[in-house]
Amino acid sequence: QRRTDVDRSGESIEAYFSVTHQLTDSLELQSGLRFDGQDIDPVHVNEVSARFNLAWQANRHWLLAVNVGRYIQQQHLYEIQIDDGKAELDDPQHSDQINLTAIFAPHPDLRLRLDLYHRKINNAWSHFENLYNRWVLFPELQGDRFEVVPSKVSAKGLEWAINHAPSPTLRWYLNYSYSEAKERYLGTLRNRPWAQRHSVKAGVRWQGSAWHLGLNTTFHSGWPTSDWIAAPGDLGTNAFGSSLPNFQTVDGHVSRRIDVSRGELEVYLDVINLTNRRNIGGYRYSAADQRRASKLLPATPIFGMLWRW
């Protein structure tokens, strides 16, 4: 049994001011200041942060931009991890980051975008994780649950995307991202628990006057996981030191819109994991079974209806 009974009240204030300056016909500078104040026990802080965005419209097809700034994120009362027995707010976390963006649009129906980013997070919030299997009904009740209080967090990577609509009824997209997310915990710099080095998403959609068909696929590197840890002292060096197998799914969608006497009725069918791939979400350890894989959803149909009026 676990019971937490706490009452908290106070004020949270956010204010933002920005100025846009057209330096030339093709060069625009936007600068901003933001005030964040929080007065809720045990957090009493007032902070000011700045950010800048410089955008250059090189020609009718190319847009280049750079964004630099500090972003302050307050933790709200509803974000306290009360199910894990925690009853207090964390201090606001600060993210110092730089983003570089390039957009190429050779045609109104074709758009390519590339983003590069680097972020360093100070005063990172604590979080609770399960070492072996996080895809369970009540993760807070598992014996492998523990609190992570990182002393340093950083993330860097790139994202590339292409969107194309060859006709008014047909559209497809392809996204790829490479990321590296690290945090320092108990003196060891390691991957963040939900990090995925490579990620690919692709899809195609056909939209008719009444029918809507869609097919989407997702692939990403396996999430970090942990081999068996025999003693709490090994958490710093062995937690999330290995990886699950790569994840992949293909999802389908079909829907039909029907005009009714009052509004519109939409009937749809979604199928998750069409290929019935055996994706692994984690492992379970026991005395009888040294390690047993825990599978995620098999092929799963979802049928529904939506009435708009």
Short mmCIF file of all heavy atoms in Angstrom, two decimals, residues 254-282:
data_model
loop_
_atom_site.label_atom_id
_atom_site.label_comp_id
_atom_site.label_asym_id
_atom_site.label_seq_id
_atom_site.Cartn_x
_atom_site.Cartn_y
_atom_site.Cartn_z
N VAL A 254 -8.13 2.83 -42.86
CA VAL A 254 -9.13 3.01 -43.90
C VAL A 254 -10.38 3.58 -43.25
O VAL A 254 -10.77 3.17 -42.15
CB VAL A 254 -9.44 1.67 -44.62
CG1 VAL A 254 -9.91 0.60 -43.65
CG2 VAL A 254 -10.48 1.88 -45.71
N SER A 255 -10.98 4.58 -43.89
CA SER A 255 -12.18 5.20 -43.33
C SER A 255 -13.12 5.60 -44.47
O SER A 255 -12.70 5.82 -45.60
CB SER A 255 -11.83 6.41 -42.47
OG SER A 255 -11.25 7.44 -43.25
N ARG A 256 -14.39 5.69 -44.11
CA ARG A 256 -15.43 6.08 -45.08
C ARG A 256 -16.33 7.11 -44.44
O ARG A 256 -16.84 6.91 -43.33
CB ARG A 256 -16.24 4.83 -45.46
CG ARG A 256 -17.46 5.10 -46.35
CD ARG A 256 -17.03 5.38 -47.78
NE ARG A 256 -18.11 5.19 -48.74
CZ ARG A 256 -19.02 6.10 -49.07
NH1 ARG A 256 -18.98 7.30 -48.48
NH2 ARG A 256 -19.94 5.84 -49.96
N ARG A 257 -16.50 8.24 -45.12
CA ARG A 257 -17.39 9.30 -44.64
C ARG A 257 -18.75 9.16 -45.30
O ARG A 257 -18.84 8.98 -46.53
CB ARG A 257 -16.79 10.68 -44.93
CG ARG A 257 -15.52 10.96 -44.15
CD ARG A 257 -15.13 12.44 -44.26
NE ARG A 257 -15.07 12.89 -45.64
CZ ARG A 257 -14.01 12.73 -46.43
NH1 ARG A 257 -12.93 12.13 -45.97
NH2 ARG A 257 -14.02 13.18 -47.69
N ILE A 258 -19.77 9.27 -44.50
CA ILE A 258 -21.14 9.11 -44.99
C ILE A 258 -21.96 10.31 -44.54
O ILE A 258 -22.00 10.64 -43.35
CB ILE A 258 -21.78 7.81 -44.44
CG1 ILE A 258 -20.89 6.60 -44.77
CG2 ILE A 258 -23.19 7.62 -44.99
CD1 ILE A 258 -21.32 5.33 -44.07
N ASP A 259 -22.60 10.99 -45.49
CA ASP A 259 -23.50 12.09 -45.15
C ASP A 259 -24.80 11.52 -44.60
O ASP A 259 -25.42 10.63 -45.21
CB ASP A 259 -23.79 12.94 -46.38
CG ASP A 259 -22.57 13.72 -46.85
OD1 ASP A 259 -21.75 14.09 -45.98
OD2 ASP A 259 -22.44 13.92 -48.07
N VAL A 260 -25.21 12.00 -43.44
CA VAL A 260 -26.46 11.59 -42.83
C VAL A 260 -27.37 12.80 -42.71
O VAL A 260 -26.97 13.93 -43.02
CB VAL A 260 -26.21 10.94 -41.44
CG1 VAL A 260 -25.44 9.63 -41.59
CG2 VAL A 260 -25.44 11.88 -40.53
N SER A 261 -28.60 12.54 -42.27
CA SER A 261 -29.57 13.64 -42.23
C SER A 261 -29.11 14.77 -41.33
O SER A 261 -29.48 15.93 -41.52
CB SER A 261 -30.93 13.11 -41.76
OG SER A 261 -30.81 12.51 -40.48
N ARG A 262 -28.31 14.44 -40.34
CA ARG A 262 -27.80 15.46 -39.43
C ARG A 262 -26.29 15.32 -39.27
O ARG A 262 -25.81 14.58 -38.42
CB ARG A 262 -28.50 15.33 -38.07
CG ARG A 262 -28.28 16.53 -37.18
CD ARG A 262 -29.15 16.43 -35.94
NE ARG A 262 -29.01 17.61 -35.12
CZ ARG A 262 -29.63 17.76 -33.95
NH1 ARG A 262 -30.44 16.81 -33.50
NH2 ARG A 262 -29.46 18.86 -33.25
N GLY A 263 -25.55 15.98 -40.13
CA GLY A 263 -24.10 15.96 -40.02
C GLY A 263 -23.45 14.92 -40.90
O GLY A 263 -23.91 14.59 -41.99
N GLU A 264 -22.34 14.37 -40.39
CA GLU A 264 -21.52 13.42 -41.14
C GLU A 264 -21.09 12.29 -40.23
O GLU A 264 -20.71 12.50 -39.08
CB GLU A 264 -20.31 14.16 -41.70
CG GLU A 264 -19.34 13.29 -42.48
CD GLU A 264 -18.09 14.05 -42.87
OE1 GLU A 264 -17.17 14.15 -42.03
OE2 GLU A 264 -18.04 14.54 -44.02
N LEU A 265 -21.13 11.08 -40.74
CA LEU A 265 -20.71 9.89 -40.01
C LEU A 265 -19.45 9.33 -40.65
O LEU A 265 -19.40 9.16 -41.88
CB LEU A 265 -21.82 8.83 -40.00
CG LEU A 265 -21.54 7.57 -39.19
CD1 LEU A 265 -21.50 7.88 -37.69
CD2 LEU A 265 -22.61 6.51 -39.46
N GLU A 266 -18.42 9.08 -39.85
CA GLU A 266 -17.18 8.48 -40.34
C GLU A 266 -16.98 7.13 -39.67
O GLU A 266 -16.99 7.02 -38.44
CB GLU A 266 -15.99 9.38 -40.06
CG GLU A 266 -14.67 8.82 -40.58
CD GLU A 266 -13.48 9.72 -40.32
OE1 GLU A 266 -13.70 10.88 -39.90
OE2 GLU A 266 -12.34 9.26 -40.52
N VAL A 267 -16.80 6.11 -40.48
CA VAL A 267 -16.52 4.75 -40.00
C VAL A 267 -15.08 4.42 -40.38
O VAL A 267 -14.68 4.62 -41.54
CB VAL A 267 -17.49 3.73 -40.62
CG1 VAL A 267 -17.21 2.33 -40.07
CG2 VAL A 267 -18.94 4.12 -40.35
N TYR A 268 -14.28 3.96 -39.43
CA TYR A 268 -12.87 3.72 -39.72
C TYR A 268 -12.39 2.41 -39.12
O TYR A 268 -12.96 1.88 -38.16
CB TYR A 268 -12.01 4.88 -39.19
CG TYR A 268 -12.02 5.05 -37.70
CD1 TYR A 268 -11.12 4.35 -36.89
CD2 TYR A 268 -12.92 5.92 -37.08
CE1 TYR A 268 -11.12 4.51 -35.51
CE2 TYR A 268 -12.92 6.10 -35.71
CZ TYR A 268 -12.02 5.38 -34.93
OH TYR A 268 -12.03 5.54 -33.57
N LEU A 269 -11.33 1.91 -39.71
CA LEU A 269 -10.64 0.71 -39.24
C LEU A 269 -9.15 0.98 -39.25
O LEU A 269 -8.58 1.32 -40.30
CB LEU A 269 -10.97 -0.50 -40.12
CG LEU A 269 -10.17 -1.77 -39.82
CD1 LEU A 269 -10.53 -2.32 -38.44
CD2 LEU A 269 -10.40 -2.83 -40.89
N ASP A 270 -8.51 0.88 -38.10
CA ASP A 270 -7.06 0.98 -37.97
C ASP A 270 -6.51 -0.39 -37.60
O ASP A 270 -7.11 -1.10 -36.78
CB ASP A 270 -6.66 1.99 -36.89
CG ASP A 270 -7.02 3.41 -37.28
OD1 ASP A 270 -6.98 3.72 -38.49
OD2 ASP A 270 -7.35 4.21 -36.38
N VAL A 271 -5.39 -0.75 -38.17
CA VAL A 271 -4.71 -1.99 -37.80
C VAL A 271 -3.28 -1.64 -37.41
O VAL A 271 -2.50 -1.13 -38.22
CB VAL A 271 -4.71 -3.02 -38.94
CG1 VAL A 271 -4.01 -4.30 -38.48
CG2 VAL A 271 -6.14 -3.33 -39.38
N ILE A 272 -2.95 -1.89 -36.15
CA ILE A 272 -1.60 -1.65 -35.64
C ILE A 272 -0.76 -2.89 -35.86
O ILE A 272 -1.21 -4.02 -35.62
CB ILE A 272 -1.66 -1.29 -34.14
CG1 ILE A 272 -2.49 -0.02 -33.94
CG2 ILE A 272 -0.27 -1.12 -33.56
CD1 ILE A 272 -2.73 0.31 -32.48
N ASN A 273 0.47 -2.71 -36.32
CA ASN A 273 1.41 -3.81 -36.55
C ASN A 273 0.83 -4.83 -37.53
O ASN A 273 0.65 -6.01 -37.21
CB ASN A 273 1.78 -4.48 -35.22
CG ASN A 273 3.00 -5.39 -35.34
OD1 ASN A 273 3.69 -5.38 -36.34
ND2 ASN A 273 3.23 -6.19 -34.31
N LEU A 274 0.55 -4.35 -38.74
CA LEU A 274 -0.06 -5.20 -39.78
C LEU A 274 0.71 -6.49 -40.03
O LEU A 274 0.11 -7.54 -40.29
CB LEU A 274 -0.14 -4.40 -41.08
CG LEU A 274 -1.42 -3.63 -41.38
CD1 LEU A 274 -1.20 -2.71 -42.57
CD2 LEU A 274 -2.57 -4.57 -41.64
N THR A 275 2.02 -6.43 -39.97
CA THR A 275 2.84 -7.60 -40.29
C THR A 275 3.00 -8.54 -39.10
O THR A 275 3.68 -9.56 -39.21
CB THR A 275 4.22 -7.16 -40.77
OG1 THR A 275 4.87 -6.40 -39.73
CG2 THR A 275 4.11 -6.29 -42.02
N ASN A 276 2.40 -8.19 -37.95
CA ASN A 276 2.48 -9.02 -36.75
C ASN A 276 3.94 -9.26 -36.31
O ASN A 276 4.31 -10.35 -35.88
CB ASN A 276 1.77 -10.36 -36.97
CG ASN A 276 1.40 -11.03 -35.65
OD1 ASN A 276 1.12 -10.36 -34.65
ND2 ASN A 276 1.41 -12.36 -35.63
N ARG A 277 4.75 -8.22 -36.43
CA ARG A 277 6.16 -8.32 -36.06
C ARG A 277 6.30 -8.53 -34.55
O ARG A 277 5.57 -7.93 -33.76
CB ARG A 277 6.92 -7.06 -36.49
CG ARG A 277 8.39 -7.07 -36.13
CD ARG A 277 9.06 -5.77 -36.53
NE ARG A 277 10.38 -5.61 -35.96
CZ ARG A 277 11.50 -6.04 -36.51
NH1 ARG A 277 11.45 -6.67 -37.68
NH2 ARG A 277 12.67 -5.85 -35.93
N ARG A 278 7.27 -9.30 -34.16
CA ARG A 278 7.52 -9.60 -32.76
C ARG A 278 8.50 -8.56 -32.18
O ARG A 278 9.70 -8.77 -32.12
CB ARG A 278 8.10 -11.02 -32.61
CG ARG A 278 8.26 -11.49 -31.17
CD ARG A 278 8.77 -12.93 -31.17
NE ARG A 278 8.91 -13.44 -29.82
CZ ARG A 278 10.03 -13.41 -29.11
NH1 ARG A 278 11.12 -12.85 -29.64
NH2 ARG A 278 10.08 -13.90 -27.89
N ASN A 279 7.94 -7.41 -31.78
CA ASN A 279 8.76 -6.36 -31.17
C ASN A 279 8.92 -6.63 -29.67
O ASN A 279 7.95 -6.98 -28.99
CB ASN A 279 8.10 -4.99 -31.37
CG ASN A 279 8.19 -4.52 -32.81
OD1 ASN A 279 9.28 -4.47 -33.39
ND2 ASN A 279 7.05 -4.19 -33.41
N ILE A 280 10.13 -6.46 -29.20
CA ILE A 280 10.44 -6.72 -27.79
C ILE A 280 10.42 -5.40 -27.02
O ILE A 280 11.07 -4.43 -27.40
CB ILE A 280 11.83 -7.40 -27.63
CG1 ILE A 280 11.88 -8.67 -28.47
CG2 ILE A 280 12.10 -7.69 -26.17
CD1 ILE A 280 10.87 -9.71 -28.09
N GLY A 281 9.64 -5.37 -25.93
CA GLY A 281 9.54 -4.16 -25.11
C GLY A 281 10.36 -4.20 -23.85
O GLY A 281 10.51 -3.19 -23.17
N GLY A 282 10.90 -5.38 -23.50
CA GLY A 282 11.69 -5.51 -22.28
C GLY A 282 11.88 -6.97 -21.92
O GLY A 282 11.52 -7.87 -22.69
#
